[in-house]
Amino acid sequence: MVPFGGWDMPVQYAGVKAEHDAVRSRAGVFDVSHMGEFRVTGEGALAFLQSVTTNDVSKLRPGRAHYNWLPGVAGGLVDDIYVYMVREGEYLLVVNASNVAKDWAHLQAHAAGFDVQLSDESDRWSLLAVQGPLAENLLQPHVSVNLAEKKKNAFFPARLFGFDVMLARTGYTGEDGFEVFVDASEAETVWDKLLAIGITPAGLGARDTLRLEAGLPLYGHEFSDTIHPLSSSYTWVVKDKAHVGREHIDLAPPHRLIGLRLERVPVREGYPVKVGGQVVGHVTSGTSSPTLGHPIALALVDAAHAGADVFEVEVRGKDHSATRMELPFYKR
Amino acid sequence: MNTPNELKYAASHEWLAADGTVGISDFAQDQLGDVVYVELPEVGREVKAGETVAVVESVKTASDIYAPATGTITAVNGELSGTPELVNSGPYEGGWLFRMDVTKEGDLMDAGAYASANN
């Protein structure tokens, strides 16, 4: 167990590789109850969300969700979030655990003038992420709705093992799966029942290797209050509308987020990335890819050098050759 | 946790055998998780007890390995470059790290003291 965002989090149960492989080949479940949940309601909910996010919330329909950003007032991101539309004038935001207090203050500060109520429901909900190619088949006998009819980003109420939950066909592993919003008082029972039907418990370690293989950015590593979010390739998250911090988003990003492959030595956050011996950036996340069998990394490099195919990464004073790889490293 | 009686142990989890062989303990490999890369010292290098001499990398993190004694590195386990997971499967056998010609041992514990310190 490790402390993370005020929670004690399991890094691994049986081992990172075994848990990672279970999610890629069958199904695993992550306890991500540390994520924060905010409910946004009122006549002005849509207008408010349009003003504080980059994606177009008006495109959502009840029962649909999308990935979105909270841009800052001084460049960078306050957070990257998921927005779930419950019904007209009611949305649920899922935010990163480490950013709950910061996001709450930011949203409160920008809510003035909108007919909107915000409630922090982070303590009410536990969130269990069931991920993997067998997620649908394993869950279906225990769920009150036909999961096959629910496409990616669907968000719907259901009964699971007899408990009232909200299910979303979303996740953070590059695999199909469902996130289960369950009342915190019922989470332990639901968790035990998920394990009993053959779903493998998976910890933070596997969550990180899976999201890295999928090329998915993690706040605090690839995103921050100061990193220009368009350093990443997620330009589609920014739609043509006015919002907080728009003037910063419209500036050209000075860095680019790239994928690197190494042959042997794993590289970690902060290691210098070079071209021809000159430092042009640094690793933001790195691991040894269990699926691919070699080390992979995300790195932020100067835009001027981002087109290079070959880099070096300095590991304990010695440079190791790294080749650029298209993201995601792994695609289902 | 397996803690062979014939070995001596550093608080930093390295073991030292009477013939100068060095590895990491069963407890340490279990804590590290899946080992994916091992960086070993050069043969012939003179090291001081407590000095960083190797690195064991698991999926999640890189961990420094310290010399349990002062002396000279005489051999390294070449098998680990292709199969670093030997550190997990046999920390006292196939997963040994290096051998050294010991001139002076560092501050080491016997198996009983090490085991009780890590319970």
Side-chain angles (χ1 to χ4, degrees):
Chain A
M1 303 291 275
V2 295
F4 182 85
W7 296 69
D8 275 334
M9 297 295 297
V11 172
Q12 58 179 349
Y13 297 88
V16 174
K17 273 187 173 173
E19 294 161 24
H20 180 108
D21 292 345
V23 173
R24 286 274 179 259
S25 62
R26 303 190 310 278
V29 56
F30 303 86
D31 181 352
V32 288
S33 301
H34 60 306
M35 305 289 283
E37 291 87 12
F38 300 155
R39 194 173 297 266
V40 181
T41 52
E43 292 276 325
L46 174 60
F48 169 66
L49 289 174
Q50 289 289 61
S51 81
V52 292
T53 69
T54 62
N55 204 344
D56 187 355
V57 184
S58 75
K59 291 283 197 282
L60 283 177
R61 294 289 170 264
R64 298 291 301 168
H66 72 192
Y67 177 67
N68 207 334
W69 285 346
L70 294 179
V73 293
L77 293 185
V78 177
D79 203 359
D80 65 329
I81 66 173
Y82 235 83
V83 180
Y84 299 82
M85 185 171 182
V86 182
R87 58 178 69 85
E88 291 295 331
E90 183 173 344
Y91 300 83
L92 195 66
L93 313 187
V94 172
V95 307
N96 281 299
S98 52
N99 290 338
V100 169
K102 183 180 72 165
D103 292 0
W104 181 252
H106 176 81
L107 292 174
Q108 291 283 347
H110 288 88
F114 291 97
D115 177 11
V116 66
Q117 296 83 47
L118 298 171
S119 57
D120 181 354
E121 299 186 357
S122 301
D123 290 340
R124 174 183 168 191
W125 297 106
S126 286
L127 188 57
L128 307 178
V130 180
Q131 300 279 293
L134 297 188
E136 180 185 314
N137 285 349
L138 287 170
L139 287 176
Q140 186 60 74
H142 311 284
V143 181
S144 60
V145 300
N146 183 0
L147 296 178
E149 291 174 354
K150 303 297 185 182
K151 304 300 178 203
K152 182 176 165 59
N153 282 328
F155 178 57
F156 50 97
R159 285 181 72 79
L160 170 63
F161 303 118
F163 293 100
D164 288 317
V165 300
M166 293 293 294
L167 292 182
R169 198 160 200 157
T170 52
Y172 188 53
T173 58
E175 297 293 335
D176 184 24
F178 297 85
E179 293 183 294
V180 184
F181 295 76
V182 54
D183 191 278
S185 66
E186 296 163 349
E188 193 173 340
T189 307
V190 172
W191 170 267
D192 288 343
K193 287 179 180 291
L194 291 169
L195 302 198
I197 62 170
I199 297 173
T200 303
L204 278 190
R207 191 166 168 84
D208 199 48
T209 53
L210 289 158
R211 70 95 189 170
L212 248 171
E213 285 184 352
L216 297 169
L218 174 62
Y219 196 91
H221 298 261
E222 285 74 38
F223 291 138
S224 78
D225 288 304
T226 53
I227 297 170
H228 194 302
L230 293 181
S231 302
S232 67
S233 59
Y234 290 70
T235 51
W236 59 269
V237 185
V238 179
K239 298 297 175 6
D240 184 19
K241 66 173 187 180
H243 59 71
V244 169
R246 178 82 216 191
E247 66 278 19
H248 301 289
I249 297 272
D250 286 338
L251 298 173
H255 303 100
R256 294 285 178 190
L257 187 70
I258 62 167
L260 293 176
R261 170 199 174 126
L262 289 101
E263 292 312 311
R264 296 279 305 129
V265 61
V267 298
R268 312 291 179 177
E269 182 178 7
Y271 288 8
V273 174
K274 303 176 179 178
V275 171
Q278 178 195 349
V279 175
V280 299
H282 67 277
V283 172
T284 53
S285 295
T287 191
S288 182
S289 163
T291 305
L292 303 174
H294 58 72
I296 55 173
L298 295 174
L300 266 182
V301 300
D302 297 341
H305 291 93
D309 293 320
V310 180
F311 295 81
E312 305 100 51
V313 182
E314 185 183 322
V315 182
R316 294 179 283 275
K318 193 175 159 196
D319 290 345
H320 294 262
S321 181
T323 51
R324 186 201 172 103
M325 270 183 92
E326 288 301 309
L327 297 173
F329 297 107
Y330 163 87
K331 195 163 189 198
R332 186 166 61 91
Chain B
M1 182 175 76
N2 180 15
T3 312
N5 279 326
E6 66 274 21
L7 304 176
K8 294 178 178 174
Y9 299 84
S12 49
H13 307 294
E14 296 82 9
W15 55 261
L16 174 69
D19 69 352
T21 305
V22 175
I24 65 168
S25 70
D26 188 32
F27 174 82
Q29 71 77 23
D30 184 63
Q31 292 287 306
L32 279 173
D34 306 301
V35 172
V36 293
Y37 183 78
V38 180
E39 192 169 286
L40 295 169
E42 302 253 322
V43 171
R45 178 174 155 191
E46 292 185 7
V47 299
K48 284 198 168 69
E51 185 179 329
T52 304
V53 283
V55 177
V56 173
E57 301 222 21
S58 65
V59 173
K60 278 301 288 174
T61 190
S63 300
D64 287 337
I65 304 300
Y66 304 96
T70 298
T72 307
I73 306 293
T74 57
V76 296
N77 184 356
E79 294 292 311
L80 297 180
S81 67
T83 47
E85 60 271 23
L86 288 171
V87 174
N88 293 119
S89 59
Y92 302 112
E93 294 97 28
W96 66 277
L97 300 180
F98 55 89
R99 291 201 179 92
M100 55 189 297
D101 191 1
V102 174
T103 56
K104 188 175 189 307
E105 288 181 8
D107 190 10
L108 302 177
M109 289 174 265
D110 64 21
Y114 177 74
S116 59
N118 292 289
N119 261 333

